[in-house]
Amino acid sequence: MSLLEQAGLALLHRVDPEVAHGLSIRALKMGLVPGSGAITSPRLRCRIAGLDLPNPVGLAAGYDKNAEVLAPLSRAGFGFVEVGAATPRPQPGNPKPRLFRLTGDRAAINRFGFNNEGMEAIAARLAERPKEAVIGLNLGANKDSEDRAGDFARVLTHCGAHLDFATVNVSSPNTEKLRDLQGKAALSALLTGVMAARDALVRPIPVFLKIAPDLSEGELADIADVARDTGVDAIIATNTTLSRDGLTSPQRGEAGGLSGVPLFEKSTQVLARLSALTGGEIPLIGVGGIASPEDAYAKIRAGASAVQLYTALVYQGMSLVPRIVTGLETLLARDGFATVAEAVGTKREDWL
């Protein structure tokens, strides 16, 4: 990390977390965050759900909610970028304050509630996206919608022409009763509608499903069955958690979803269990607590074909991305893996 980045992070940590987030978006717009493009090599290149990725390290949804900084993010070193969540209509989200740093725990709690400018504004920006990047959109539902399941399909229909993939997000804890859509019957109906909308696109794209870490073995088995039956192209494991186990920061009692280092073990266990349940039939993307090359490598060896991160950037800055990507290549080479795919799931049993 450069001295300039250290100074910038120190300044951001002196202001309200949501204000700091907005300032970081502004810095990217102004070109203050350097980047030379996606980092790649024969060892790092991989293919997931029909997508050719320069490397397996992606940006998780939630940072660029409104697709405002697609070009700078595509130059930051990521193999793929996910923006959103987008809902059919704009909505302000939950009352502030709604984002909290847990510095001692290297974590964050948020209860944003799908605040975004709506699918029309987001689609207009996606239409101007850098074509060489792999970009996806996290699909959401309006809080006051009478047909939340239908909202996901509506956003996909409106934005799909500008995307490489889309993610169905029924795992955010910050929209009341949204996680109820993870139940077997509700999820099956929702995904059937989304897949029909996908198939109606001029250029059909892969559809991913993002799940919560707070699921029982039976609930995970149901999700695996529904994903298989509906033809979902990949599963993202996992979103934020409602658990507060082991936290020491004063903000640990705030309501919302917990992300960052404390989520790593829980989310990786869910990933490994899901890998065992699906038997490699459905690609998995590992998310939750990744803050180093070793973390990314552990997710891959637990069963992930690719990974995503976000919260660690709050503490380590955008320079973390190339550090993780290049470090991951070193780890793969050390253990004799010629490709990412060769390493996937090779340590899954350690997490079961």
Side-chain angles (χ1 to χ4, degrees):
M1 186 188 300
S2 69
L3 289 175
L4 181 61
E5 188 174 33
Q6 288 181 41
L9 285 174
L11 286 172
L12 289 176
H13 281 234
R14 293 172 67 91
V15 302
D16 172 81
E18 190 165 352
V19 171
H21 176 263
L23 290 172
S24 73
I25 294 285
R26 187 178 301 176
L28 282 167
K29 287 182 177 179
M30 295 171 64
L32 299 179
V33 181
S36 56
I39 300 165
T40 193
S41 72
R43 198 184 310 274
L44 290 169
R45 279 195 287 270
C46 53
R47 186 174 177 84
I48 181 168
L51 299 173
D52 291 313
L53 307 180
N55 70 66
V57 181
L59 175 66
Y63 177 69
D64 189 8
K65 291 177 179 292
N66 294 304
E68 297 178 85
V69 284
L70 294 171
L73 288 174
S74 72
R75 296 191 295 268
F78 294 109
F80 60 112
V81 171
E82 185 175 341
V83 300
T87 55
R89 290 174 284 106
Q91 63 181 21
N94 295 321
K96 299 178 182 180
R98 53 194 180 180
L99 177 61
F100 306 89
R101 292 188 205 98
L102 283 68
T103 303
D105 296 303
R106 286 308 217 225
I109 291 173
N110 90 82
R111 50 174 182 261
F112 280 117
F114 285 167
N115 58 309
N116 73 105
E117 296 176 9
M119 66 183 184
E120 292 187 9
I122 291 170
R125 296 188 187 112
L126 286 167
E128 303 298 322
R129 53 162 285 183
K131 301 304 180 187
E132 70 280 4
V134 178
I135 294 175
L137 178 65
N138 194 277
L139 313 176
N142 282 117
K143 183 177 181 178
D144 61 354
S145 175
E146 295 182 2
D147 180 17
R148 286 186 179 175
D151 279 5
F152 295 91
R154 278 189 282 277
V155 178
L156 178 56
T157 297
H158 193 79
C159 299
H162 313 303
L163 302 173
D164 297 304
F165 68 93
T167 298
V168 174
N169 183 1
V170 292
S171 51
S172 169
N174 300 317
T175 297
E176 187 179 1
K177 297 185 178 180
L178 182 73
R179 286 191 172 189
D180 292 350
L181 293 174
Q182 290 179 122
K184 190 168 187 177
L187 184 62
S188 180
L190 185 155
L191 288 175
T192 298
V194 170
M195 299 306 280
R198 186 277 300 272
D199 293 342
L201 295 173
V202 173
R203 179 181 58 88
I205 59 174
V207 170
F208 302 164
L209 171 65
K210 190 168 189 176
I211 66 168
D214 309 311
L215 296 167
S216 68
E217 187 74 28
E219 289 169 329
L220 274 178
D222 285 346
I223 284 173
D225 288 343
V226 171
R228 191 181 294 111
D229 292 345
T230 56
V232 164
D233 296 282
I235 300 174
I236 300 179
T238 66
N239 209 321
T240 57
T241 182
L242 295 173
S243 171
R244 299 292 187 266
D245 292 345
L247 299 181
T248 61
S249 299
Q251 301 88 347
R252 62 186 180 274
E254 294 289 346
L258 173 75
S259 60
V261 169
L263 180 57
F264 179 80
E265 185 169 341
K266 185 183 187 77
S267 62
T268 308
Q269 288 171 345
V270 170
L271 169 72
R273 282 166 28 217
L274 196 57
S275 175
L277 285 166
T278 57
E281 290 181 53
I282 303 172
L284 306 177
I285 298 172
V287 194
I290 294 174
S292 69
E294 290 77 14
D295 293 339
Y297 190 44
K299 295 276 190 190
I300 289 168
R301 299 199 74 178
S305 295
V307 299
Q308 291 177 311
L309 59 98
Y310 172 11
T311 301
L313 302 176
V314 173
Y315 297 102
Q316 300 189 58
M318 280 291 176
S319 65
L320 176 63
V321 182
R323 291 202 305 274
I324 286 182
V325 176
T326 56
L328 180 58
E329 178 160 34
T330 299
L331 292 168
L332 288 164
R334 181 197 69 186
D335 292 340
F337 295 117
T339 64
V340 174
E342 287 183 6
V344 173
T346 51
K347 290 281 188 179
R348 183 178 71 195
E349 299 304 314
D350 292 355
W351 292 93
L352 297 176

